[in-house]
Amino acid sequence: MPENPKIDFLDVKQDRSKKTLDDLLEAACEIVEAANPTTFTSRNLAEKSGYSKGTLNKRLGPIENVFLWALAQGRDFKANQTANMIAQFDPQLTIHDFVETFVDTCFGFINSTTAKVIKFHDQRFTKAYSLTSDYFDWIFIFVDPYIELCERNQTNTFKVPSKDEARFMFRAIHAVVERPFATDDPIAGTPEHRRIVIDALTRLLAK
């Protein structure tokens, strides 16, 4: 499978053109933050940004790409916040404490994004680019801070994985945490889902 393509826009050198592009991208991010895929349209982007549809087409190309780009930006921002939480986690707390914090953080971000937005990105991106081999590789941002946390934790409850083990662990974690939302599983986001995930992650990560 091909690698995840980077969505780029026309290179601009003049200050005025750069401002226009920045305004359009900022407007797209604001629309995406509302987490309603029915608003991911050129009409809404034109109204939000104050630019004409002609300017949108000239600066951005296919309009759908700008929303895919904005969604990826939002996902990466939340992933970075989660990675920072892992890096700053109290070394005096146990693996169970960590798992509960991690799961609640992830559920909170997913609920703010909404399952509809996750499905929108999955469907539109894979339709345009197919399912690339590194489509889910953004989760690997958690690997290094997690290994460092395991090494400095003082409770003797964390299993210290190798880097390859940690990569596979986070692939499995992603499957049980996020994918039920994306596939409309009937218990996604419920207390029962939370209980199952906490139990599974504790078994996976604990000594």
Side-chain angles (χ1 to χ4, degrees), residues 5 8 32-33 37 42 47 52 57 69 74 106 116 118 124 127 135-136 148 162 183 188 203 205-206:
D8 288 319
V32 162
E33 284 177 9
S42 57
E47 291 177 355
S52 68
N57 292 329
W69 175 89
C106 291
K116 288 183 179 179
I118 296 171
R124 301 304 176 89
K127 181 179 179 181
Y135 184 69
F136 296 117
E148 291 168 7
S162 68
T183 56
R203 292 171 183 269
L205 302 176

Side-chain angles (χ1 to χ4, degrees), residues 82-156:
T82 305
N84 288 336
M85 179 277 292
I86 296 172
Q88 297 168 14
F89 193 77
D90 188 343
Q92 300 290 343
L93 297 178
T94 68
I95 186 65
H96 186 75
D97 296 321
F98 168 76
V99 168
E100 285 192 327
T101 302
F102 179 82
V103 171
D104 288 342
T105 298
C106 291
F107 273 31
F109 283 148
I110 293 169
N111 285 325
S112 69
T113 302
T114 78
K116 288 183 179 179
V117 171
I118 296 171
K119 288 190 291 183
F120 175 91
H121 187 275
D122 284 353
Q123 293 167 358
R124 301 304 176 89
F125 185 94
T126 55
K127 181 179 179 181
Y129 302 106
S130 77
L131 183 61
T132 58
S133 59
D134 55 354
Y135 184 69
F136 296 117
D137 282 6
W138 59 269
I139 61 174
F140 294 152
I141 192 175
F142 306 141
V143 168
D144 287 341
Y146 180 73
I147 293 174
E148 291 168 7
L149 168 61
C150 293
E151 292 172 342
R152 64 184 173 82
N153 185 266
Q154 299 174 24
T155 65
N156 199 34

